[in-house]
Amino acid sequence: MTGREWAMTAMAFVVICVVLLAAGRGLASGAMGEVLRVRFGGDAEHTRVVLDLDRTSRGQVIQAGGDGRVVVSLAGVSPANRGLTGAGTGLVRGWRVTGAGAASRVELDLATSAEIERRFLLPPGDGIAHFRYVIDLKATGRAPTAPARTPPPRVERPAERPLIFIDAGHGGRDPGASGTGSRESAVTLAAALALKQELERTGRYRVRLTRESDAYVALYRRVAIARQADADLFISLHADAGADPATRGASVYTLSEQGAGRAVREFTRGENWHRSLNLPGRDPSVDRILLDMTQRATQNRSAQLARTLLGELEGADHPMLRRSHRDAGLAVLLAPDVPAVLLEMGFITNPEDERMLNDSRARRRLMRAVADGIDRYFREPSGTLQMASNGGAQGQP
């Protein structure tokens, strides 16, 4: 067999493995799983690290221990409680698990020189209900090429609080829809400021706005700044409009299947697109499969967020459209790795909805319900996920 044939065979094997993994439990549904806990066993010669997971995962070695650290990426799982850290035992002095897009980054600071002896995934069985990702380390007797990094003091880590981006729709030269006496751009900015206040009042979130004044911000720029900041959630606020002034009520949009395809095409136009998703970057076909898996997980998380928002709005007796969960290929929903929804708060062309949107007390009640929905989304990050129904309105707000 020629060298080229070997290379093609190896590439096909990698792709098949990734596809089979995607068909496994958890990743097939696109749901992000969790790293539940980290356990250790062994001694200063051989140390076993066990990561308990509630979903299957694929591991990739980023650093193998030669510089005093072992770093492994676990696809499709996120650390519980936004991050895990602690002291190790045996060959491991300290450890931490942090989120990295649609994966977790497992970092082990070594007490002495060591290397990975083996890695493997154990499925549930023998009375154990969860998956276990096992890393076996063995001492090498060699000096590390660089000193092991001591974990910094972690008295307070505000960066670990989820980062929420609120997008006030329209603005500047794009005023949006008009009611009898108000413009959509002004209504959405007032609502965004009220929602920011409600979320910050809890002390559990970092909150940023895509605009804080009557300024124009391009649609793709709104998504880009959220991605660049590693946002955990993106919510775009709008006021609907219709030809019939009797039509009223709120609705929530998530990304459609057609929009997901468009998002992937837009995202892969750049030459080094894989780097911003922490993908291996060694084989474009494999990276494309991993991007599709990331996009699917993001769509499902967005659908989960939409359901929690709708539940809180209905519980607050806010007027709703009959089919209140819709899907569309809207530009502000296209980020492949940031869960996103667009909330149409009501119809600015309906007299009752317009009065509600411009009344500060009614607006605050509405934003309090939205904040409660976001809070519930982060308290209940897992569960059976359903995609938005097909046939929603297309186009851009």
Side-chain angles (χ1 to χ4, degrees):
M1 184 177 290
T2 67
R4 178 179 176 79
E5 290 172 330
W6 274 112
M8 293 299 293
T9 301
M11 181 185 298
F13 177 76
V14 171
V15 172
I16 290 171
C17 288
V18 174
V19 171
L20 290 176
L21 177 62
R25 179 176 178 265
L27 292 182
S29 66
M32 283 287 288
E34 279 194 352
V35 180
L36 303 173
R37 66 190 67 84
V38 180
R39 299 179 284 119
F40 293 88
D43 51 32
E45 291 296 322
H46 293 86
T47 301
R48 170 162 287 188
V49 184
V50 181
L51 294 104
D52 293 335
L53 316 174
D54 68 355
R55 297 285 190 278
T56 186
S57 179
R58 178 186 64 86
Q60 178 194 0
V61 176
I62 299 175
Q63 291 178 237
D67 61 351
R69 298 176 71 224
V70 168
V71 180
V72 176
S73 175
L74 295 179
V77 292
S78 61
N81 301 319
R82 315 301 301 176
L84 301 168
T85 186
T89 189
L91 293 169
V92 179
R93 182 175 63 244
W95 61 273
R96 59 201 153 272
V97 183
T98 58
S104 284
R105 181 181 172 95
V106 182
E107 301 179 7
L108 307 174
D109 291 314
L110 302 179
T112 185
S113 57
E115 63 184 10
I116 298 175
E117 186 174 23
R118 67 180 68 86
R119 298 176 296 125
F120 52 93
L121 180 72
L122 293 174
D126 297 327
I128 298 177
H130 53 261
F131 288 82
R132 290 152 290 167
Y133 191 87
V134 180
I135 305 172
D136 283 339
L137 304 175
K138 68 174 182 179
T140 63
R142 298 190 300 269
T145 58
R149 188 180 72 180
T150 302
R154 299 196 176 203
V155 178
E156 182 179 358
R157 295 182 295 174
E160 288 192 347
R161 293 177 296 164
L163 174 59
I164 299 171
F165 256 83
I166 305 172
D167 174 45
H170 305 281
R173 67 174 186 262
D174 174 23
S178 297
T180 302
S182 58
R183 293 282 184 89
E184 182 180 3
S185 58
V187 166
T188 59
L189 180 58
L193 292 170
L195 178 57
K196 181 175 186 289
Q197 185 176 4
E198 288 295 323
L199 290 169
E200 288 180 335
R201 188 169 55 84
T202 69
R204 290 189 286 273
Y205 307 104
R206 294 171 293 146
V207 186
R208 297 185 192 174
L209 303 180
T210 57
R211 67 179 181 95
E212 299 184 29
S213 62
D214 187 22
Y216 175 78
V217 182
L219 294 176
Y220 290 103
R221 177 62 184 157
R222 298 169 192 244
V223 177
I225 60 177
R227 290 197 68 250
Q228 289 166 5
D230 292 327
D232 295 285
L233 184 150
F234 183 94
I235 178 169
S236 188
L237 301 178
H238 286 258
D240 220 333
D244 184 358
T247 303
R248 68 176 308 204
S251 59
V252 177
Y253 283 82
T254 50
L255 189 63
S256 64
E257 290 297 319
Q258 295 84 355
R262 172 187 168 195
V264 170
R265 290 192 299 272
E266 293 283 346
F267 196 76
T268 54
R269 283 181 179 177
E271 183 178 350
N272 297 316
W273 59 268
H274 54 272
R275 293 181 182 175
S276 64
L277 280 177
N278 299 310
L279 299 178
R282 297 172 182 170
D283 187 314
S285 60
V286 173
D287 280 352
R288 178 58 184 265
I289 292 173
L290 295 177
L291 172 60
D292 289 339
M293 293 164 61
T294 300
Q295 174 74 76
R296 177 63 58 179
T298 301
Q299 281 183 270
N300 282 350
R301 295 300 295 272
S302 299
Q304 180 185 349
L305 172 60
R307 289 200 312 278
T308 63
L309 287 178
L310 291 170
E312 293 297 330
L313 293 176
E314 291 170 356
D317 293 325
H318 187 75
M320 308 293 292
L321 281 178
R322 184 175 60 84
R323 188 169 64 84
S324 54
H325 189 176
R326 304 184 172 209
D327 63 347
L330 304 172
V332 292
L333 303 178
L334 293 182
D337 51 354
V338 180
V341 298
L342 184 147
L343 170 62
E344 295 280 9
M345 300 178 289
F347 278 74
I348 200 169
T349 49
N350 174 271
E352 293 176 88
D353 276 0
E354 185 181 15
R355 279 195 297 272
M356 179 271 298
L357 293 171
N358 284 280
D359 180 84
S360 60
R361 295 180 62 183
R363 185 168 55 236
R364 182 160 298 281
R365 284 195 300 271
L366 171 59
M367 291 302 104
R368 188 171 297 124
V370 173
D372 289 343
I374 292 173
D375 211 29
R376 202 174 103 206
Y377 166 80
F378 282 104
R379 289 198 316 269
E380 305 170 5
S382 60
T384 303
L385 301 177
Q386 300 173 354
M387 298 305 299
S389 59
N390 293 325
Q394 303 295 320
Q396 296 181 1

